[in-house]
Amino acid sequence: MWRNRSLGAIFVLIITVALAQAQQPNSCVDCHSALEGELHVTQEQFAQDIHAQKGLTCASCHGGDPSKTDDSAMSKAAGFKGKIERAGVPKLCGSCHSDPAFMRQYNPSLRTDQFSQYQTSIHGKRQAAGDTKVAVCTDCHGVHDLRPASDTRSKVHPLNIATTCSRCHADAEYMATYKIPTNQFADYKTSVHHEALVERGDLSAPTCTTCHGNHGATPPGVGSVANVCSTCHVFQAQLFEASPHKAAFASAGLPGCVTCHSNHGISKPSDAMLGTSAHSVCTNCHTQGDAGYKAAGDMQQQISGLETSIVRSDRILSQAESSGMEVSQPRLELDQARDALTKARVTVHTFAAHPVRADVDSGLKITTKTYGEGEGALRERDYRRTGLGMSLVAIVFVVVALRLYIKEIEKNQ
Ligand code: HEC
Ligand code: HEC
Ligand code: HEC
Ligand code: HEC
Ligand code: HEC
Ligand code: HEC
Ligand code: HEC
Ligand code: HEC
Ligand code: HEC
């Protein structure tokens, strides 16, 4: 049964392929699938390519005549363009992708500005000036098995982009002639963003092109660095904009967020970034005696005070809970104190102690209450235990008294 079906399927497949080949002879694939090295291009490979799937052929990009089975297929007369050099790639791809009238026939929603954007990027500008090492379309997209970005196997799928860029940007030898670092990929792999994107599958976390753009690839200038982060971290950005650091950093030529958090290797923030210890970011610039130093110490004290207070409440409620007391209401309230703590850590970006204190105070008000409720629950438990103990004593007393009484009656009889 199974054998018959699969034989049938193979038969249908052979017929289909034969018919397709009879209609559209493609000598290019026939001949090139038998060649080796860079000349090796197979039917299976090209069938994965979006261009093949949309009905384009080898000749759409290379010219030539696929109906000829010998070398004349690649003759000048047949329109064959010869080898496509790296320098010619953007222009070739752009010849269709910059043509809205042509592209609309296939996919009206596809943008047609990739080539013009590319020309504004560092890659495009250097390429136009004759640099052949910068990225061209095929470095990022591949060739002959080129897939749309939404396909998880595409080189430009969000989960694969960092690796695609790293092929050049993490290769110190390849990049040796340029005066830029090659640690972006290594740093990025340690970052909160990589963890969110790759380990937790959170596609809202940024990869290289989210921050740098894909076709207009250029690092944001110092002025726009804060803007990159602010597209996602809106609250921190608003507070930073209104803080004393906004003007102070700008006049010192420093970027915003990146000055404290770095750009590629952003690690998970902690309260240790505040305060006056060696781990503090504030003491990079502020010294004992100035207002920033004092604010850094204050904020850390406030925040760790609330955290300790939440832990204390949590502990007493757990104690009450494990002795069977009902504390679900204070537990819910304690969650609000945790929210206040989260908010305080965002409010840090005002870089002023009193707004942080306001958040912390509203949290402390809750923890004072929940701790009281925990104490109340324990008192109630103790009260019930004492009550239980006393009734036990009373029962024992009655039982003993009864026995004595019965013994007395027996003696009397
Ligand atoms: C009969 C076999 C055969 C056919 C048919 C054929 N090719 Fe080739 N092709 C070759 C060989 C062999 C080479 C390498 C030698 C050379 O450059 O001539 C080559 C080279 C190429 C190159 C690289 C050019 C270079 O200078 O490095 C491209 C591109 C190419 N073929 C595309 C095509 C396309 C498109 C078609 C169909 C229109 C096609 N070929 C048909 C055999 C073939
Ligand atoms: C969407 C455009 C496009 C299509 C369709 C296409 N190619 Fe290519 N091909 C290119 C580009 C661009 C290059 C140059 C690759 C590079 O340098 O990045 C290339 C390179 C080649 C080479 C030369 C490899 C070398 O380095 O010398 C051969 C051979 C080739 N293609 C054959 C084919 C065959 C056969 C088909 C059809 C099965 C095909 N191509 C379809 C764009 C295309
Ligand atoms: C002969 C015209 C033509 C050439 C040359 C061409 N393309 Fe395309 N490309 C198309 C068409 C048509 C589609 C299908 C659009 C659709 O239906 O989504 C497409 C699709 C794509 C897609 C997928 C778009 C998506 O997300 O749906 C990418 C990426 C792409 N091409 C990149 C390239 C690159 C890189 C080159 C140069 C190596 C290139 N193209 C050369 C016509 C062309
Ligand atoms: C530095 C890497 C890089 C280079 C160079 C590059 N692309 Fe892209 N391209 C991307 C990325 C990343 C995406 C995916 C964007 C997304 O996720 O929507 C993309 C998407 C596309 C798409 C799909 C539609 C769209 O705009 O989202 C097309 C078509 C395309 N590129 C064509 C080109 C062409 C043509 C060139 C050369 C002129 C080129 N690309 C050069 C990285 C690159
Ligand atoms: C084929 C190799 C290659 C690939 C792939 C590549 N790049 Fe580049 N890139 C270069 C080279 C070479 C430069 C030029 C360096 C310079 O001018 O200092 C460059 C420059 C840049 C710059 C500007 C750096 C500066 O000088 O300030 C940025 C940003 C950049 N690339 C980002 C990316 C991103 C993001 C990707 C992946 C989507 C990528 N590149 C993929 C080779 C590549
Ligand atoms: C969260 C945003 C973000 C992500 C993700 C990101 N970058 Fe950057 N990148 C920046 C910023 C901001 C700068 C500017 C440097 C500065 O002013 O400190 C920069 C600078 C660069 C530069 C210029 C040289 C340098 O190191 O200063 C290159 C090249 C670069 N990035 C490549 C990459 C690559 C490759 C990836 C992915 C592995 C990547 N970036 C991921 C924000 C990002
Ligand atoms: C495309 C959106 C996006 C951009 C742009 C972006 N981030 Fe993020 N960021 C995220 C996401 C998503 C997370 C993961 C949040 C989580 O842990 O649930 C995150 C996490 C963080 C964290 C850790 C937060 C925590 O509570 O653990 C910091 C710090 C951070 N980003 C700073 C930055 C900085 C600085 C920039 C600019 C250089 C930036 N981000 C750019 C989306 C973005
Ligand atoms: C002057 C230094 C400094 C600057 C500038 C700065 N931050 Fe922060 N950021 C911190 C400190 C310190 C913390 C840790 C607060 C804590 O956990 O107690 C933090 C924490 C964070 C967090 C995690 C907040 C949380 O909920 O735990 C994010 C996200 C973040 N910053 C994003 C940004 C963004 C976006 C910018 C730019 C608009 C920025 N930061 C600018 C010092 C800074
Ligand atoms: C890159 C250097 C740098 C870092 C890091 C930095 N500051 Fe500042 N800060 C400045 C400069 C410059 C000013 C403006 C000049 C001044 O008043 O000292 C300033 C001003 C302040 C002010 C206002 C002082 C006043 O007189 O009104 C406070 C408060 C402050 N910073 C707190 C902090 C805290 C808290 C941190 C750590 C989370 C921090 N700063 C990290 C450079 C920095």
Side-chain angles (χ1 to χ4, degrees):
M1 178 65 189
W2 175 86
R3 237 177 124 223
N4 278 347
R5 264 220 216 143
S6 65
L7 275 182
I10 291 171
F11 188 64
V12 169
L13 195 73
I14 291 171
I15 296 271
T16 320
V17 170
L19 272 177
Q21 280 178 345
Q23 283 162 355
Q24 282 180 321
N26 190 340
S27 64
C28 320
V29 192
D30 294 346
C31 197
H32 276 272
S33 52
L35 299 178
E36 300 201 330
E38 298 197 304
L39 296 172
H40 184 67
V41 185
T42 65
Q43 178 59 39
E44 296 80 60
Q45 185 189 7
F46 191 55
Q48 310 282 321
D49 193 300
I50 176 83
H51 297 106
Q53 287 164 7
K54 295 286 172 167
L56 302 182
T57 66
C58 316
S60 309
C61 289
H62 290 287
D65 183 353
S67 65
K68 301 261 165 56
T69 53
D70 57 12
D71 275 355
S72 67
M74 298 185 298
S75 68
K76 262 226 165 74
F80 185 66
K81 298 176 188 166
K83 185 175 165 62
I84 300 168
E85 301 291 344
R86 280 179 67 80
V89 170
K91 208 170 257 156
L92 166 74
C93 309
S95 68
C96 293
H97 282 281
S98 302
D99 183 346
F102 175 79
M103 290 309 295
R104 206 178 297 129
Q105 305 168 342
Y106 294 89
N107 183 350
S109 65
L110 198 65
R111 296 169 58 155
T112 48
D113 63 349
Q114 296 89 9
F115 182 48
S116 60
Q117 285 281 314
Y118 173 75
Q119 288 172 301
T120 69
S121 74
I122 301 255
H123 293 146
K125 282 184 187 155
R126 284 189 163 276
Q127 204 260 353
D131 185 335
T132 55
K133 291 174 86 176
V134 292
V136 296
C137 318
T138 45
D139 290 313
C140 293
H141 288 285
V143 66
H144 300 147
D145 55 359
L146 198 156
R147 299 176 166 98
S150 53
D151 188 321
T152 52
R153 289 162 302 176
S154 162
K155 283 162 67 104
V156 293
H157 183 272
L159 292 174
N160 306 332
I161 284 174
T163 310
T164 300
C165 310
S166 75
R167 231 195 63 224
C168 299
H169 282 282
D171 185 340
E173 205 179 308
Y174 188 84
M175 297 300 287
T177 45
Y178 306 95
K179 307 269 166 288
I180 60 170
T182 48
N183 59 354
Q184 298 91 5
F185 184 52
D187 283 355
Y188 174 71
K189 278 201 286 193
T190 68
S191 75
V192 284
H193 291 144
H194 181 268
E195 194 218 298
L197 180 66
V198 177
E199 278 151 49
R200 284 189 273 129
D202 179 353
L203 292 180
S204 66
T207 178
C208 317
T209 46
T210 323
C211 292
H212 290 289
N214 37 38
H215 301 119
T218 175
V222 158
S224 61
V225 166
N227 297 339
V228 171
C229 315
S230 69
T231 50
C232 303
H233 300 287
V234 179
F235 296 121
Q236 286 87 353
Q238 279 170 351
L239 297 176
F240 175 79
E241 289 292 301
S243 80
H245 285 145
K246 161 82 171 159
F249 283 17
S251 70
L254 292 170
C257 320
V258 170
T259 299
C260 295
H261 290 289
S262 91
N263 51 10
H264 299 124
I266 299 170
S267 55
K268 185 149 185 61
S270 77
D271 300 341
M273 285 171 71
L274 292 165
T276 53
S277 77
H279 300 293
S280 166
V281 288
C282 316
T283 51
N284 287 341
C285 304
H286 293 287
T287 50
Q288 196 157 13
D290 79 13
Y293 190 87
K294 187 166 175 306
D298 276 1
M299 284 195 240
Q300 193 192 41
Q301 223 172 16
Q302 294 293 327
I303 288 178
S304 66
L306 177 55
E307 185 154 43
T308 311
S309 180
I310 290 174
V311 170
R312 230 174 117 239
S313 269
D314 189 56
R315 208 173 285 146
I316 198 166
L317 290 177
S318 300
Q319 212 182 335
E321 209 161 36
S322 62
S323 31
M325 303 304 293
E326 159 62 32
V327 290
S328 55
Q329 184 55 32
R331 277 233 172 277
L332 277 179
E333 290 168 29
L334 194 58
D335 279 343
Q336 289 170 14
R338 289 197 178 91
D339 291 345
L341 180 63
T342 305
K343 186 153 176 283
R345 287 180 173 140
V346 175
T347 307
V348 161
H349 297 87
T350 57
F351 306 108
H354 68 269
V356 173
R357 181 184 295 269
D359 288 341
V360 165
D361 282 349
S362 77
L364 286 176
K365 213 182 271 169
I366 296 167
T367 53
T368 308
K369 181 152 175 277
T370 51
Y371 190 78
E373 284 164 334
E375 281 183 324
L378 286 184
R379 264 201 307 276
E380 171 79 14
R381 179 200 65 183
D382 291 348
Y383 177 73
R384 288 191 197 162
R385 278 187 185 166
T386 320
L388 189 67
M390 275 166 47
S391 25
L392 270 179
V393 169
I395 291 166
V396 169
F397 179 77
V398 171
V399 169
V400 170
L402 266 177
R403 282 202 67 150
L404 286 178
Y405 181 62
I406 291 167
K407 267 201 185 138
E408 191 66 30
I409 292 174
E410 281 171 354
K411 216 158 75 188
N412 286 349
Q413 279 175 351

